[in-house]
């Protein structure tokens, strides 16, 4: 699987651990994140991940920032992106199964590196259930209703 990953300064250590884990499982990982703890602007590292997912250059994306919120909001500005802010493995699993989430947003300041890695594995290994959930996912893109 092709996976793009991006992070700001709060997620550098998490990104490195997640990237190593994904590559050890045979996935191809494209790293758009900073490799430093120096303060940076998360959109600069999230937009490339979202663009890869949006343009089907990546199957999934992983983004990491302090709260996960800013990164999640940024990713969800892209059409066809369904980024999910997750804080445990159950939410990560449901985001894939029920919402066909294609980007996992991790709040580095609120979950351990171990949990972040577990959530990533769960997210990557869970399939979308389709069925009744497909109808709901189809209604996510904004449309004007009169």
């Amino acid at each position: 699987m092709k996976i793009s990953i991006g992070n700001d300064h709060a997620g550098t250590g998490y990104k490195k651990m997640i990237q190593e884990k994904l590559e050890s499982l045979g996935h191809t990982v494209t790293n758009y994140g900073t490799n430093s703890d120096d303060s940076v602007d998360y959109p600069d590292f999230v937009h490339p991940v979202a663009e890869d997912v949006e343009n089907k250059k990546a199957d999934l994306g992983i983004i990491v920032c302090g709260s996960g919120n800013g990164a999640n909001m940024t990713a969800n500005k892209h059409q066809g992106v369904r980024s999910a802010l997750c804080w445990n493995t159950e939410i990560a699993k449901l985001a894939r199964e029920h919402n066909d989430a294609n980007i996992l947003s991790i709040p580095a300041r609120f979950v351990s590196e171990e949990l972040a890695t577990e959530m990533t594995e769960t997210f990557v290994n869970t399939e979308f259930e389709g069925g009744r959930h497909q109808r709901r996912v189809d209604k996510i893109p904004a449309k004007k209703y009169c």
Side-chain angles (χ1 to χ4, degrees), residues 71-143:
N72 192 52
M73 290 177 192
T74 301
N76 277 318
K77 297 299 181 194
H78 292 260
Q79 289 298 314
V81 166
R82 290 172 304 282
S83 181
L85 173 59
C86 299
W87 54 93
N88 63 43
T89 55
E90 293 83 5
I91 297 295
K93 185 174 191 282
L94 287 172
R96 289 286 299 133
E97 285 180 341
H98 292 191
N99 309 115
D100 198 17
N102 49 22
I103 295 182
L104 169 63
S105 182
I106 298 172
R109 293 190 177 121
F110 297 93
V111 300
S112 68
E113 288 181 349
E114 179 182 347
L115 179 55
T117 303
E118 289 172 10
M119 287 191 306
T120 300
E121 285 186 74
T122 298
F123 190 81
V124 168
N125 292 322
T126 301
E127 295 291 326
F128 177 51
E129 286 183 355
R132 71 184 189 280
H133 304 294
Q134 184 63 59
R135 180 179 72 247
R136 296 166 187 157
V137 169
D138 290 342
K139 292 180 180 182
I140 291 174
K143 297 178 184 174

Side-chain angles (χ1 to χ4, degrees), residues 8-119:
D8 71 0
H9 52 279
T12 301
Y14 286 66
K15 183 268 309 275
K16 289 177 183 175
M17 181 182 292
I18 290 167
Q19 183 174 0
E20 287 174 9
K21 181 64 173 182
L22 290 171
E23 289 173 344
S24 77
L25 296 172
H27 300 290
T28 301
V29 179
T30 302
N31 173 18
Y32 292 108
T34 182
N35 292 312
S36 170
D37 294 332
D38 295 338
S39 182
V40 296
D41 299 332
Y42 58 82
D44 297 338
F45 303 96
V46 171
H47 281 303
V49 173
E51 288 171 3
D52 276 3
V53 172
E54 182 178 31
N55 296 321
K56 310 245 185 277
K57 292 181 181 177
D59 301 300
L60 296 174
I62 311 294
I63 53 179
V64 189
C65 77
S67 71
N69 279 310
N72 192 52
M73 290 177 192
T74 301
N76 277 318
K77 297 299 181 194
H78 292 260
Q79 289 298 314
V81 166
R82 290 172 304 282
S83 181
L85 173 59
C86 299
W87 54 93
N88 63 43
T89 55
E90 293 83 5
I91 297 295
K93 185 174 191 282
L94 287 172
R96 289 286 299 133
E97 285 180 341
H98 292 191
N99 309 115
D100 198 17
N102 49 22
I103 295 182
L104 169 63
S105 182
I106 298 172
R109 293 190 177 121
F110 297 93
V111 300
S112 68
E113 288 181 349
E114 179 182 347
L115 179 55
T117 303
E118 289 172 10
M119 287 191 306

